[in-house]
């Protein structure tokens, strides 16, 4: 059955000799409260220092039967730094998904940790808090994003030596 007013029906039949008598019962159902929060996709995120991760961080909220629910979800960076485009997002009713953009810290190798929490008014949802992790890496060397510089030759130990820097 689905949630909604008078949208569920049961018909019961009884047999009286050769005749069959049916009685129709119409009832309403309400969906259960939000029960669970889960990640949509990976919780270990790849990213580049100081940049927004490629895909938004997404979570889904469902009831105990797996139906999507509209519920307040709170996103917060709890270690390593970085920033979010907000601190809380209300889940979309039609999809049950809440999402946020996460910009990683500007230092490579520092673990960034994001916590996502949801509460149904009585208790935390199953799976809450949920954690996402990222260790930002330097962007790869490329012709358009990199610069190359070198020092002139330095005479040392009978060889010409130059120092080359790629940024």
């Amino acid at each position: 059955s689905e949630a909604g007013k008078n949208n569920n029906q049961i018909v019961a039949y009884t047999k009286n000799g050769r005749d069959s008598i049916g009685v129709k019962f119409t009832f309403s159902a309400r969906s259960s409260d939000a029960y669970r929060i889960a990640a949509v996709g990976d919780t270990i995120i790849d990213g580049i220092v100081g940049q927004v991760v490629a895909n938004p961080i997404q979570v889904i909220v469902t009831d105990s039967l797996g139906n999507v629910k509209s519920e307040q979800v709170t996103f917060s960076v709890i270690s390593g730094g970085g920033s979010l485009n907000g601190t809380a997002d209300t889940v979309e009713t039609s999809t049950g998904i809440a999402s946020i953009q996460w910009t990683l810290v500007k230092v490579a190798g520092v673990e960034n940790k994001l916590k996502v929490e949801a509460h149904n008014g009585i208790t935390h949802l199953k799976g809450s808090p949920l954690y996402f992790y990222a260790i930002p890496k330097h962007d790869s060397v490329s012709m358009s994003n990199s610069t190359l510089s070198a020092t002139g030759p330095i005479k040392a130990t009978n060889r010409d030596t130059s120092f080359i820097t790629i940024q």
Side-chain angles (χ1 to χ4, degrees), residues 80-130:
S83 61
L84 302 172
N85 69 346
T87 56
D89 199 1
T90 301
V91 177
E92 296 177 24
T93 305
S94 62
T95 64
I97 294 176
S99 65
I100 200 162
Q101 293 288 338
W102 187 14
T103 302
L104 301 179
V105 70
K106 295 182 179 184
V107 179
V110 173
E111 181 182 79
N112 290 224
K113 189 174 181 182
L114 175 67
K115 179 167 82 171
V116 185
E117 295 180 282
H119 196 273
N120 66 11
I122 299 169
T123 185
H124 275 81
L125 302 186
K126 185 174 184 177
S128 178
L130 180 61

Side-chain angles (χ1 to χ4, degrees), residues 16-17 30 33 37 51 53 57 65 67 78 92 99-100 110 112 126 134-135 153:
N16 183 4
R30 90 174 174 82
D33 292 331
I37 184 171
Q51 294 185 16
V53 296
I57 304 302
L65 302 174
N67 301 309
I78 60 170
E92 296 177 24
S99 65
I100 200 162
V110 173
N112 290 224
K126 185 174 184 177
I135 298 177

Side-chain angles (χ1 to χ4, degrees), residues 1 63 66 118 126 146:
S1 71
D63 66 12
K126 185 174 184 177
S146 303

Side-chain angles (χ1 to χ4, degrees), residues 15-162:
K15 208 164 197 179
N16 183 4
R18 292 183 312 179
D19 297 329
S20 188
I21 301 171
V23 177
K24 184 190 308 184
F25 297 93
T26 302
F27 60 96
S28 301
R30 90 174 174 82
S31 62
S32 61
D33 292 331
Y35 175 73
R36 177 186 330 268
I37 184 171
V40 176
D42 292 331
T43 58
I44 309 268
I45 309 297
D46 289 327
I48 305 298
V49 294
Q51 294 185 16
V52 175
V53 296
N55 297 309
I57 304 302
Q58 294 185 318
V59 297
I60 187 166
V61 176
T62 58
D63 66 12
S64 61
L65 302 174
N67 301 309
V68 296
K69 299 300 292 182
S70 178
E71 195 67 48
Q72 178 95 8
V73 175
T74 303
F75 297 87
S76 55
V77 175
I78 60 170
S79 70
S83 61
L84 302 172
N85 69 346
T87 56
D89 199 1
T90 301
V91 177
E92 296 177 24
T93 305
S94 62
T95 64
I97 294 176
S99 65
I100 200 162
Q101 293 288 338
W102 187 14
T103 302
L104 301 179
V105 70
K106 295 182 179 184
V107 179
V110 173
E111 181 182 79
N112 290 224
K113 189 174 181 182
L114 175 67
K115 179 167 82 171
V116 185
E117 295 180 282
H119 196 273
N120 66 11
I122 299 169
T123 185
H124 275 81
L125 302 186
K126 185 174 184 177
S128 178
L130 180 61
Y131 297 97
F132 291 83
Y133 302 89
I135 298 177
K137 300 174 185 160
H138 287 291
D139 203 355
S140 58
V141 175
S142 71
M143 294 293 285
S144 60
N145 294 336
S146 303
T147 59
L148 175 67
S149 61
T151 63
I154 299 172
K155 197 75 162 165
T157 63
N158 295 330
R159 293 187 183 150
D160 287 337
T161 304
S162 294

